[in-house]
Amino acid sequence: MAGEMTPAERTAAALRFEEPDRVPLFLFFTMYGAKELGLSIREYFSRPEYVAAGQLRLLKKFGGDCVTSFCYAASEVEAWGGEVIFRDDGPPNAGRPPIREADEIEALEVPTVEESPSLLFGLRTIELLKREVGDDVPIIGSVVSPFSLPVIQMGFDAYIDLLYGEPDLFWKLMAKNEEFCVRWANAQFEAGATAVTYADPLASTDMTPLDLYRRTGLVVAKRTIPRIRGDVATGLASARALPVIDDLAGTGSVGVGVSTFDDLAALKRQSAGRLAVIGNLNAIEMCRWTPARAETEVKRAIAAAGPGGGFILSDNHGEIPWQVPGSVLLAISAAVRKWGAYPLEEASL
Amino acid sequence: MGPEFQDLPGRAAPLSSSGDELKEALLGVDRMRAGKIIRDACAAGSPVDCIEGLIIPVLEEIGRDWEQGQVALSQVYISGRICEEVVNTMLPPGSPSRRHRPKIAIAVLEDHHTLGKQIILAVLRAGGYEVIDYGSGVTVDSLVESVIRDRIEILLISTLMLPAALRAREAIARIREAMPEVRVIVGGAPFRFDPALWRETGADAFGCSASETLEAVRMMGGAVWPER
């Protein structure tokens, strides 16, 4: 491959299952930009200008191949009336779920993007990023899947009870969540997003039995993803993807974010030509890695999934923790350039 | 798991035929059938025999199956809930027949994701233990105060996100200052993704699953009815 590609060209080639100039690197920074700007996490998430500035500084410093408008998952539940809890050393978290009783589902109104400050914040961030990176760097947006959103809408245990015991209410909630998800995803594309992550951890057999998923979450995904007007990659937020790869390939997704517990080489074989594989560096262990360990892990992942394209190196959850040292991130960036250049060297395989 | 617990997983005997049937009913979320299997199997003995001989081994096996990717977390939760409901009919909460020692409490530290706590609660209660539930969103200050006030002997700390897992260290250190004898088990996703992390908290053990946590509690506190 002659010449260096832009991050957008590199990523597009990988998604076409072609070998770009090198393996793309997606470093999903959420709150990490606050460090760069010397702000508290709460301050950082108070203005889209801060988030956009943080993303651009991190892009330059660590040499990744994307920026993201995603701030924290709780911003979606905020639109539904939920609370967000900030802390100094980690991502803002969802507070008590806004749906306290299942019978509240009937009267639940689907929020509009235009009237949801937390979503408008995300759209403004995308616009600011787009103004700076144009078409050269992919801007990755995010939606929580209609099937997984109830974990923070009503609490995981209450949702499992609903899923198993209240099918009518479950489907009513899905209809509302689908509408919300499609509106929110399409608004991000209209603002300038290049692709959207469809966060659906409950699609994993770690969370939901396969037969139940096929009767519920898969049906929801097949109805929802085709209504989204742009590229969608399904992320399982650290949960294992291999047992559901064939199912995910039928949803309209173009890629899948996979777990550090997945067998990356097996995943690549199983999804070849259908879903690009995104992963699977262990973001929790990464906090204690040395630069040498980071290089070893990058090399391992590239050897397992790099050949033939269709692979984007990333973490396994979609978020770099606050506690990961900058030296480790620089080592990851250097290692993908050393070992991820196509054609891959024998030594990296 | 701490050094004294490392050999726990995988040493269970095969389930009895009743156990196999119960496991199938639980994983199929068949409450009626599960209840009937338990009542039929336990008709000849005491609730204690039923819990020790049938329910605990089945729940432990389901927990191990989850660790190996063979069952889903939702099934672990539902199985625990069904068993808890049945045990409550045979051995109501607060019954003098239940063991109230060791004194056990559970809390979700600085988070409102309660599934892990609810699974552990259901499994421990189905196993005949009384457990104090401190709830979710518990701060370090509040946890320290509650544990010392209640003179807790075994504390279970559930976390979901990394910062809360790291905060467990401070909570445990402060509790130990006042109560060096307290035993602490931590659990949650961060500890699964980084197997070395739990040791940094100063905990005595890490419960990777409900079954491991149950085993650890049994080893720390003795079986529920040790005098039998």
Side-chain angles (χ1 to χ4, degrees), chain B residues 75-110:
Chain B
Q75 292 172 299
V76 178
Y77 166 71
I78 289 283
S79 299
R81 283 288 304 274
I82 292 173
C83 288
E84 182 187 7
E85 288 163 14
V86 178
V87 167
N88 282 348
T89 65
M90 301 189 304
L91 204 64
S95 159
S97 299
R98 287 192 180 225
R99 283 288 295 203
H100 296 263
R101 299 291 299 272
K103 207 165 181 186
I104 304 170
I106 188 167
V108 185
L109 189 61
E110 297 187 343

PDB file of all heavy atoms in Angstrom, chain B residues 75-110:
ATOM      1  N   GLN B  75     -30.114 -16.308  33.932  1.00  0.00           N
ATOM      2  CA  GLN B  75     -30.539 -17.609  34.468  1.00  0.00           C
ATOM      3  C   GLN B  75     -30.019 -17.826  35.891  1.00  0.00           C
ATOM      4  O   GLN B  75     -30.698 -18.445  36.707  1.00  0.00           O
ATOM      5  CB  GLN B  75     -30.047 -18.743  33.553  1.00  0.00           C
ATOM      6  CG  GLN B  75     -30.736 -18.758  32.186  1.00  0.00           C
ATOM      7  CD  GLN B  75     -30.094 -19.757  31.248  1.00  0.00           C
ATOM      8  OE1 GLN B  75     -28.905 -19.646  30.931  1.00  0.00           O
ATOM      9  NE2 GLN B  75     -30.860 -20.730  30.805  1.00  0.00           N
ATOM     10  N   VAL B  76     -28.818 -17.332  36.149  1.00  0.00           N
ATOM     11  CA  VAL B  76     -28.276 -17.445  37.509  1.00  0.00           C
ATOM     12  C   VAL B  76     -29.175 -16.675  38.471  1.00  0.00           C
ATOM     13  O   VAL B  76     -29.530 -17.151  39.556  1.00  0.00           O
ATOM     14  CB  VAL B  76     -26.829 -16.892  37.566  1.00  0.00           C
ATOM     15  CG1 VAL B  76     -26.288 -16.967  38.990  1.00  0.00           C
ATOM     16  CG2 VAL B  76     -25.924 -17.643  36.615  1.00  0.00           C
ATOM     17  N   TYR B  77     -29.547 -15.472  38.040  1.00  0.00           N
ATOM     18  CA  TYR B  77     -30.390 -14.623  38.890  1.00  0.00           C
ATOM     19  C   TYR B  77     -31.757 -15.278  39.135  1.00  0.00           C
ATOM     20  O   TYR B  77     -32.207 -15.388  40.279  1.00  0.00           O
ATOM     21  CB  TYR B  77     -30.563 -13.261  38.214  1.00  0.00           C
ATOM     22  CG  TYR B  77     -31.662 -12.403  38.814  1.00  0.00           C
ATOM     23  CD1 TYR B  77     -31.513 -11.830  40.068  1.00  0.00           C
ATOM     24  CD2 TYR B  77     -32.851 -12.187  38.127  1.00  0.00           C
ATOM     25  CE1 TYR B  77     -32.515 -11.049  40.624  1.00  0.00           C
ATOM     26  CE2 TYR B  77     -33.857 -11.410  38.675  1.00  0.00           C
ATOM     27  CZ  TYR B  77     -33.688 -10.847  39.921  1.00  0.00           C
ATOM     28  OH  TYR B  77     -34.678 -10.092  40.465  1.00  0.00           O
ATOM     29  N   ILE B  78     -32.398 -15.721  38.067  1.00  0.00           N
ATOM     30  CA  ILE B  78     -33.737 -16.308  38.197  1.00  0.00           C
ATOM     31  C   ILE B  78     -33.683 -17.586  39.039  1.00  0.00           C
ATOM     32  O   ILE B  78     -34.559 -17.830  39.884  1.00  0.00           O
ATOM     33  CB  ILE B  78     -34.323 -16.610  36.797  1.00  0.00           C
ATOM     34  CG1 ILE B  78     -34.673 -15.297  36.082  1.00  0.00           C
ATOM     35  CG2 ILE B  78     -35.520 -17.520  36.896  1.00  0.00           C
ATOM     36  CD1 ILE B  78     -35.942 -14.621  36.543  1.00  0.00           C
ATOM     37  N   SER B  79     -32.644 -18.375  38.846  1.00  0.00           N
ATOM     38  CA  SER B  79     -32.526 -19.629  39.620  1.00  0.00           C
ATOM     39  C   SER B  79     -32.443 -19.334  41.112  1.00  0.00           C
ATOM     40  O   SER B  79     -33.086 -19.991  41.938  1.00  0.00           O
ATOM     41  CB  SER B  79     -31.276 -20.410  39.185  1.00  0.00           C
ATOM     42  OG  SER B  79     -31.360 -20.748  37.835  1.00  0.00           O
ATOM     43  N   GLY B  80     -31.623 -18.342  41.455  1.00  0.00           N
ATOM     44  CA  GLY B  80     -31.494 -17.965  42.860  1.00  0.00           C
ATOM     45  C   GLY B  80     -32.804 -17.465  43.432  1.00  0.00           C
ATOM     46  O   GLY B  80     -33.189 -17.801  44.553  1.00  0.00           O
ATOM     47  N   ARG B  81     -33.502 -16.643  42.641  1.00  0.00           N
ATOM     48  CA  ARG B  81     -34.778 -16.091  43.107  1.00  0.00           C
ATOM     49  C   ARG B  81     -35.807 -17.195  43.354  1.00  0.00           C
ATOM     50  O   ARG B  81     -36.524 -17.178  44.358  1.00  0.00           O
ATOM     51  CB  ARG B  81     -35.318 -15.096  42.069  1.00  0.00           C
ATOM     52  CG  ARG B  81     -34.639 -13.749  42.073  1.00  0.00           C
ATOM     53  CD  ARG B  81     -35.018 -12.923  43.304  1.00  0.00           C
ATOM     54  NE  ARG B  81     -36.479 -12.772  43.404  1.00  0.00           N
ATOM     55  CZ  ARG B  81     -37.168 -11.814  42.799  1.00  0.00           C
ATOM     56  NH1 ARG B  81     -36.547 -10.934  42.062  1.00  0.00           N
ATOM     57  NH2 ARG B  81     -38.475 -11.742  42.942  1.00  0.00           N
ATOM     58  N   ILE B  82     -35.894 -18.149  42.430  1.00  0.00           N
ATOM     59  CA  ILE B  82     -36.879 -19.234  42.583  1.00  0.00           C
ATOM     60  C   ILE B  82     -36.558 -20.041  43.843  1.00  0.00           C
ATOM     61  O   ILE B  82     -37.445 -20.339  44.653  1.00  0.00           O
ATOM     62  CB  ILE B  82     -36.893 -20.142  41.330  1.00  0.00           C
ATOM     63  CG1 ILE B  82     -37.440 -19.365  40.130  1.00  0.00           C
ATOM     64  CG2 ILE B  82     -37.733 -21.394  41.590  1.00  0.00           C
ATOM     65  CD1 ILE B  82     -37.341 -20.120  38.798  1.00  0.00           C
ATOM     66  N   CYS B  83     -35.296 -20.393  44.011  1.00  0.00           N
ATOM     67  CA  CYS B  83     -34.919 -21.185  45.192  1.00  0.00           C
ATOM     68  C   CYS B  83     -35.174 -20.396  46.478  1.00  0.00           C
ATOM     69  O   CYS B  83     -35.631 -20.953  47.483  1.00  0.00           O
ATOM     70  CB  CYS B  83     -33.458 -21.611  45.112  1.00  0.00           C
ATOM     71  SG  CYS B  83     -33.156 -22.874  43.888  1.00  0.00           S
ATOM     72  N   GLU B  84     -34.881 -19.110  46.440  1.00  0.00           N
ATOM     73  CA  GLU B  84     -35.112 -18.275  47.623  1.00  0.00           C
ATOM     74  C   GLU B  84     -36.596 -18.294  47.990  1.00  0.00           C
ATOM     75  O   GLU B  84     -36.963 -18.440  49.164  1.00  0.00           O
ATOM     76  CB  GLU B  84     -34.651 -16.839  47.348  1.00  0.00           C
ATOM     77  CG  GLU B  84     -34.821 -15.909  48.541  1.00  0.00           C
ATOM     78  CD  GLU B  84     -34.518 -14.451  48.192  1.00  0.00           C
ATOM     79  OE1 GLU B  84     -34.303 -14.147  47.006  1.00  0.00           O
ATOM     80  OE2 GLU B  84     -34.508 -13.629  49.117  1.00  0.00           O
ATOM     81  N   GLU B  85     -37.447 -18.184  46.977  1.00  0.00           N
ATOM     82  CA  GLU B  85     -38.895 -18.175  47.231  1.00  0.00           C
ATOM     83  C   GLU B  85     -39.346 -19.494  47.865  1.00  0.00           C
ATOM     84  O   GLU B  85     -40.122 -19.507  48.820  1.00  0.00           O
ATOM     85  CB  GLU B  85     -39.655 -17.946  45.919  1.00  0.00           C
ATOM     86  CG  GLU B  85     -39.556 -16.531  45.369  1.00  0.00           C
ATOM     87  CD  GLU B  85     -39.945 -16.419  43.894  1.00  0.00           C
ATOM     88  OE1 GLU B  85     -40.544 -17.366  43.357  1.00  0.00           O
ATOM     89  OE2 GLU B  85     -39.625 -15.384  43.289  1.00  0.00           O
ATOM     90  N   VAL B  86     -38.832 -20.604  47.329  1.00  0.00           N
ATOM     91  CA  VAL B  86     -39.249 -21.913  47.855  1.00  0.00           C
ATOM     92  C   VAL B  86     -38.730 -22.107  49.282  1.00  0.00           C
ATOM     93  O   VAL B  86     -39.456 -22.568  50.174  1.00  0.00           O
ATOM     94  CB  VAL B  86     -38.762 -23.056  46.934  1.00  0.00           C
ATOM     95  CG1 VAL B  86     -39.151 -24.405  47.518  1.00  0.00           C
ATOM     96  CG2 VAL B  86     -39.338 -22.907  45.538  1.00  0.00           C
ATOM     97  N   VAL B  87     -37.472 -21.735  49.489  1.00  0.00           N
ATOM     98  CA  VAL B  87     -36.896 -21.886  50.835  1.00  0.00           C
ATOM     99  C   VAL B  87     -37.656 -21.029  51.846  1.00  0.00           C
ATOM    100  O   VAL B  87     -37.880 -21.443  52.989  1.00  0.00           O
ATOM    101  CB  VAL B  87     -35.385 -21.539  50.815  1.00  0.00           C
ATOM    102  CG1 VAL B  87     -34.834 -21.382  52.230  1.00  0.00           C
ATOM    103  CG2 VAL B  87     -34.611 -22.612  50.067  1.00  0.00           C
ATOM    104  N   ASN B  88     -38.076 -19.840  51.400  1.00  0.00           N
ATOM    105  CA  ASN B  88     -38.827 -18.965  52.308  1.00  0.00           C
ATOM    106  C   ASN B  88     -40.129 -19.605  52.785  1.00  0.00           C
ATOM    107  O   ASN B  88     -40.599 -19.317  53.879  1.00  0.00           O
ATOM    108  CB  ASN B  88     -39.134 -17.620  51.630  1.00  0.00           C
ATOM    109  CG  ASN B  88     -37.924 -16.703  51.616  1.00  0.00           C
ATOM    110  OD1 ASN B  88     -36.924 -16.968  52.292  1.00  0.00           O
ATOM    111  ND2 ASN B  88     -37.989 -15.649  50.838  1.00  0.00           N
ATOM    112  N   THR B  89     -40.714 -20.459  51.937  1.00  0.00           N
ATOM    113  CA  THR B  89     -41.951 -21.130  52.365  1.00  0.00           C
ATOM    114  C   THR B  89     -41.649 -22.244  53.364  1.00  0.00           C
ATOM    115  O   THR B  89     -42.465 -22.556  54.224  1.00  0.00           O
ATOM    116  CB  THR B  89     -42.713 -21.738  51.168  1.00  0.00           C
ATOM    117  OG1 THR B  89     -41.928 -22.789  50.590  1.00  0.00           O
ATOM    118  CG2 THR B  89     -43.026 -20.678  50.127  1.00  0.00           C
ATOM    119  N   MET B  90     -40.474 -22.832  53.254  1.00  0.00           N
ATOM    120  CA  MET B  90     -40.126 -23.942  54.156  1.00  0.00           C
ATOM    121  C   MET B  90     -39.460 -23.435  55.434  1.00  0.00           C
ATOM    122  O   MET B  90     -39.588 -24.035  56.496  1.00  0.00           O
ATOM    123  CB  MET B  90     -39.161 -24.905  53.446  1.00  0.00           C
ATOM    124  CG  MET B  90     -39.715 -25.510  52.164  1.00  0.00           C
ATOM    125  SD  MET B  90     -38.664 -26.823  51.499  1.00  0.00           S
ATOM    126  CE  MET B  90     -37.102 -26.020  51.317  1.00  0.00           C
ATOM    127  N   LEU B  91     -38.726 -22.359  55.273  1.00  0.00           N
ATOM    128  CA  LEU B  91     -37.909 -21.837  56.371  1.00  0.00           C
ATOM    129  C   LEU B  91     -38.016 -20.313  56.313  1.00  0.00           C
ATOM    130  O   LEU B  91     -37.149 -19.638  55.769  1.00  0.00           O
ATOM    131  CB  LEU B  91     -36.454 -22.276  56.139  1.00  0.00           C
ATOM    132  CG  LEU B  91     -35.509 -22.378  57.306  1.00  0.00           C
ATOM    133  CD1 LEU B  91     -35.947 -23.445  58.291  1.00  0.00           C
ATOM    134  CD2 LEU B  91     -34.108 -22.702  56.790  1.00  0.00           C
ATOM    135  N   PRO B  92     -39.101 -19.743  56.837  1.00  0.00           N
ATOM    136  CA  PRO B  92     -39.349 -18.315  56.647  1.00  0.00           C
ATOM    137  C   PRO B  92     -38.205 -17.447  57.178  1.00  0.00           C
ATOM    138  O   PRO B  92     -37.537 -17.817  58.150  1.00  0.00           O
ATOM    139  CB  PRO B  92     -40.625 -18.065  57.462  1.00  0.00           C
ATOM    140  CG  PRO B  92     -41.251 -19.402  57.623  1.00  0.00           C
ATOM    141  CD  PRO B  92     -40.130 -20.393  57.659  1.00  0.00           C
ATOM    142  N   PRO B  93     -37.995 -16.284  56.530  1.00  0.00           N
ATOM    143  CA  PRO B  93     -36.971 -15.362  57.040  1.00  0.00           C
ATOM    144  C   PRO B  93     -37.231 -15.024  58.505  1.00  0.00           C
ATOM    145  O   PRO B  93     -38.371 -14.833  58.906  1.00  0.00           O
ATOM    146  CB  PRO B  93     -37.159 -14.120  56.160  1.00  0.00           C
ATOM    147  CG  PRO B  93     -37.807 -14.625  54.916  1.00  0.00           C
ATOM    148  CD  PRO B  93     -38.673 -15.774  55.342  1.00  0.00           C
ATOM    149  N   GLY B  94     -36.202 -14.991  59.297  1.00  0.00           N
ATOM    150  CA  GLY B  94     -36.357 -14.698  60.714  1.00  0.00           C
ATOM    151  C   GLY B  94     -36.648 -15.926  61.549  1.00  0.00           C
ATOM    152  O   GLY B  94     -36.670 -15.868  62.783  1.00  0.00           O
ATOM    153  N   SER B  95     -36.889 -17.057  60.888  1.00  0.00           N
ATOM    154  CA  SER B  95     -37.182 -18.288  61.621  1.00  0.00           C
ATOM    155  C   SER B  95     -36.006 -18.659  62.529  1.00  0.00           C
ATOM    156  O   SER B  95     -34.852 -18.548  62.125  1.00  0.00           O
ATOM    157  CB  SER B  95     -37.439 -19.421  60.625  1.00  0.00           C
ATOM    158  OG  SER B  95     -37.251 -20.664  61.245  1.00  0.00           O
ATOM    159  N   PRO B  96     -36.295 -19.109  63.748  1.00  0.00           N
ATOM    160  CA  PRO B  96     -35.179 -19.519  64.627  1.00  0.00           C
ATOM    161  C   PRO B  96     -34.409 -20.700  64.060  1.00  0.00           C
ATOM    162  O   PRO B  96     -33.272 -20.954  64.456  1.00  0.00           O
ATOM    163  CB  PRO B  96     -35.887 -19.884  65.937  1.00  0.00           C
ATOM    164  CG  PRO B  96     -37.342 -19.931  65.648  1.00  0.00           C
ATOM    165  CD  PRO B  96     -37.599 -19.175  64.391  1.00  0.00           C
ATOM    166  N   SER B  97     -35.016 -21.400  63.100  1.00  0.00           N
ATOM    167  CA  SER B  97     -34.312 -22.531  62.493  1.00  0.00           C
ATOM    168  C   SER B  97     -33.194 -22.082  61.562  1.00  0.00           C
ATOM    169  O   SER B  97     -32.316 -22.855  61.208  1.00  0.00           O
ATOM    170  CB  SER B  97     -35.300 -23.392  61.688  1.00  0.00           C
ATOM    171  OG  SER B  97     -36.297 -23.891  62.531  1.00  0.00           O
ATOM    172  N   ARG B  98     -33.261 -20.818  61.128  1.00  0.00           N
ATOM    173  CA  ARG B  98     -32.164 -20.314  60.302  1.00  0.00           C
ATOM    174  C   ARG B  98     -30.988 -19.957  61.201  1.00  0.00           C
ATOM    175  O   ARG B  98     -31.163 -19.615  62.361  1.00  0.00           O
ATOM    176  CB  ARG B  98     -32.599 -19.066  59.538  1.00  0.00           C
ATOM    177  CG  ARG B  98     -33.545 -19.355  58.393  1.00  0.00           C
ATOM    178  CD  ARG B  98     -33.666 -18.120  57.528  1.00  0.00           C
ATOM    179  NE  ARG B  98     -34.559 -18.363  56.413  1.00  0.00           N
ATOM    180  CZ  ARG B  98     -34.289 -18.005  55.156  1.00  0.00           C
ATOM    181  NH1 ARG B  98     -33.166 -17.387  54.873  1.00  0.00           N
ATOM    182  NH2 ARG B  98     -35.153 -18.245  54.189  1.00  0.00           N
ATOM    183  N   ARG B  99     -29.803 -19.981  60.601  1.00  0.00           N
ATOM    184  CA  ARG B  99     -28.629 -19.566  61.361  1.00  0.00           C
ATOM    185  C   ARG B  99     -28.427 -18.064  61.215  1.00  0.00           C
ATOM    186  O   ARG B  99     -28.437 -17.536  60.115  1.00  0.00           O
ATOM    187  CB  ARG B  99     -27.380 -20.302  60.846  1.00  0.00           C
ATOM    188  CG  ARG B  99     -27.286 -21.725  61.318  1.00  0.00           C
ATOM    189  CD  ARG B  99     -26.953 -21.825  62.780  1.00  0.00           C
ATOM    190  NE  ARG B  99     -25.618 -21.303  63.056  1.00  0.00           N
ATOM    191  CZ  ARG B  99     -24.900 -21.637  64.106  1.00  0.00           C
ATOM    192  NH1 ARG B  99     -25.392 -22.479  65.012  1.00  0.00           N
ATOM    193  NH2 ARG B  99     -23.698 -21.138  64.282  1.00  0.00           N
ATOM    194  N   HIS B 100     -28.257 -17.400  62.313  1.00  0.00           N
ATOM    195  CA  HIS B 100     -28.037 -15.956  62.287  1.00  0.00           C
ATOM    196  C   HIS B 100     -26.558 -15.611  62.451  1.00  0.00           C
ATOM    197  O   HIS B 100     -26.202 -14.452  62.512  1.00  0.00           O
ATOM    198  CB  HIS B 100     -28.877 -15.282  63.368  1.00  0.00           C
ATOM    199  CG  HIS B 100     -30.352 -15.456  63.123  1.00  0.00           C
ATOM    200  ND1 HIS B 100     -31.110 -14.501  62.496  1.00  0.00           N
ATOM    201  CD2 HIS B 100     -31.182 -16.499  63.382  1.00  0.00           C
ATOM    202  CE1 HIS B 100     -32.371 -14.942  62.398  1.00  0.00           C
ATOM    203  NE2 HIS B 100     -32.433 -16.139  62.932  1.00  0.00           N
ATOM    204  N   ARG B 101     -25.724 -16.622  62.603  1.00  0.00           N
ATOM    205  CA  ARG B 101     -24.287 -16.400  62.667  1.00  0.00           C
ATOM    206  C   ARG B 101     -23.630 -17.242  61.581  1.00  0.00           C
ATOM    207  O   ARG B 101     -24.100 -18.330  61.295  1.00  0.00           O
ATOM    208  CB  ARG B 101     -23.739 -16.823  64.044  1.00  0.00           C
ATOM    209  CG  ARG B 101     -24.341 -16.052  65.185  1.00  0.00           C
ATOM    210  CD  ARG B 101     -23.903 -14.597  65.209  1.00  0.00           C
ATOM    211  NE  ARG B 101     -22.448 -14.466  65.360  1.00  0.00           N
ATOM    212  CZ  ARG B 101     -21.848 -14.422  66.544  1.00  0.00           C
ATOM    213  NH1 ARG B 101     -22.541 -14.481  67.656  1.00  0.00           N
ATOM    214  NH2 ARG B 101     -20.535 -14.296  66.614  1.00  0.00           N
ATOM    215  N   PRO B 102     -22.562 -16.834  61.008  1.00  0.00           N
ATOM    216  CA  PRO B 102     -21.942 -15.539  61.224  1.00  0.00           C
ATOM    217  C   PRO B 102     -22.849 -14.407  60.725  1.00  0.00           C
ATOM    218  O   PRO B 102     -23.716 -14.623  59.885  1.00  0.00           O
ATOM    219  CB  PRO B 102     -20.670 -15.620  60.378  1.00  0.00           C
ATOM    220  CG  PRO B 102     -21.008 -16.579  59.293  1.00  0.00           C
ATOM    221  CD  PRO B 102     -21.912 -17.581  59.918  1.00  0.00           C
ATOM    222  N   LYS B 103     -22.617 -13.242  61.272  1.00  0.00           N
ATOM    223  CA  LYS B 103     -23.415 -12.093  60.884  1.00  0.00           C
ATOM    224  C   LYS B 103     -22.886 -11.551  59.543  1.00  0.00           C
ATOM    225  O   LYS B 103     -21.727 -11.133  59.463  1.00  0.00           O
ATOM    226  CB  LYS B 103     -23.330 -11.021  61.970  1.00  0.00           C
ATOM    227  CG  LYS B 103     -24.546 -10.132  62.007  1.00  0.00           C
ATOM    228  CD  LYS B 103     -24.601  -9.346  63.294  1.00  0.00           C
ATOM    229  CE  LYS B 103     -25.846  -8.486  63.315  1.00  0.00           C
ATOM    230  NZ  LYS B 103     -25.868  -7.610  64.477  1.00  0.00           N
ATOM    231  N   ILE B 104     -23.744 -11.610  58.530  1.00  0.00           N
ATOM    232  CA  ILE B 104     -23.310 -11.290  57.163  1.00  0.00           C
ATOM    233  C   ILE B 104     -24.058 -10.062  56.660  1.00  0.00           C
ATOM    234  O   ILE B 104     -25.254  -9.911  56.917  1.00  0.00           O
ATOM    235  CB  ILE B 104     -23.615 -12.474  56.210  1.00  0.00           C
ATOM    236  CG1 ILE B 104     -22.953 -13.758  56.722  1.00  0.00           C
ATOM    237  CG2 ILE B 104     -23.157 -12.171  54.794  1.00  0.00           C
ATOM    238  CD1 ILE B 104     -23.387 -15.002  55.983  1.00  0.00           C
ATOM    239  N   ALA B 105     -23.349  -9.213  55.920  1.00  0.00           N
ATOM    240  CA  ALA B 105     -23.997  -8.068  55.266  1.00  0.00           C
ATOM    241  C   ALA B 105     -23.449  -7.915  53.858  1.00  0.00           C
ATOM    242  O   ALA B 105     -22.330  -8.349  53.550  1.00  0.00           O
ATOM    243  CB  ALA B 105     -23.759  -6.781  56.057  1.00  0.00           C
ATOM    244  N   ILE B 106     -24.269  -7.296  53.007  1.00  0.00           N
ATOM    245  CA  ILE B 106     -23.854  -7.054  51.616  1.00  0.00           C
ATOM    246  C   ILE B 106     -24.216  -5.625  51.234  1.00  0.00           C
ATOM    247  O   ILE B 106     -25.232  -5.086  51.700  1.00  0.00           O
ATOM    248  CB  ILE B 106     -24.507  -8.066  50.650  1.00  0.00           C
ATOM    249  CG1 ILE B 106     -23.926  -7.925  49.239  1.00  0.00           C
ATOM    250  CG2 ILE B 106     -26.025  -7.909  50.618  1.00  0.00           C
ATOM    251  CD1 ILE B 106     -24.287  -9.090  48.320  1.00  0.00           C
ATOM    252  N   ALA B 107     -23.370  -5.019  50.386  1.00  0.00           N
ATOM    253  CA  ALA B 107     -23.629  -3.650  49.913  1.00  0.00           C
ATOM    254  C   ALA B 107     -23.094  -3.491  48.502  1.00  0.00           C
ATOM    255  O   ALA B 107     -22.098  -4.117  48.128  1.00  0.00           O
ATOM    256  CB  ALA B 107     -22.946  -2.632  50.829  1.00  0.00           C
ATOM    257  N   VAL B 108     -23.769  -2.639  47.716  1.00  0.00           N
ATOM    258  CA  VAL B 108     -23.224  -2.210  46.423  1.00  0.00           C
ATOM    259  C   VAL B 108     -22.536  -0.874  46.671  1.00  0.00           C
ATOM    260  O   VAL B 108     -23.179   0.097  47.061  1.00  0.00           O
ATOM    261  CB  VAL B 108     -24.323  -2.029  45.356  1.00  0.00           C
ATOM    262  CG1 VAL B 108     -23.681  -1.696  44.012  1.00  0.00           C
ATOM    263  CG2 VAL B 108     -25.183  -3.267  45.243  1.00  0.00           C
ATOM    264  N   LEU B 109     -21.232  -0.856  46.469  1.00  0.00           N
ATOM    265  CA  LEU B 109     -20.451   0.329  46.797  1.00  0.00           C
ATOM    266  C   LEU B 109     -20.521   1.355  45.667  1.00  0.00           C
ATOM    267  O   LEU B 109     -20.163   1.060  44.514  1.00  0.00           O
ATOM    268  CB  LEU B 109     -18.997  -0.081  47.051  1.00  0.00           C
ATOM    269  CG  LEU B 109     -18.064   0.981  47.615  1.00  0.00           C
ATOM    270  CD1 LEU B 109     -18.529   1.464  48.973  1.00  0.00           C
ATOM    271  CD2 LEU B 109     -16.637   0.442  47.704  1.00  0.00           C
ATOM    272  N   GLU B 110     -21.001   2.543  45.993  1.00  0.00           N
ATOM    273  CA  GLU B 110     -20.986   3.700  45.084  1.00  0.00           C
ATOM    274  C   GLU B 110     -21.558   3.397  43.707  1.00  0.00           C
ATOM    275  O   GLU B 110     -21.002   3.811  42.677  1.00  0.00           O
ATOM    276  CB  GLU B 110     -19.556   4.236  44.950  1.00  0.00           C
ATOM    277  CG  GLU B 110     -19.009   4.749  46.269  1.00  0.00           C
ATOM    278  CD  GLU B 110     -17.659   5.441  46.125  1.00  0.00           C
ATOM    279  OE1 GLU B 110     -16.998   5.261  45.097  1.00  0.00           O
ATOM    280  OE2 GLU B 110     -17.271   6.149  47.062  1.00  0.00           O
TER     281      GLU B 110
END
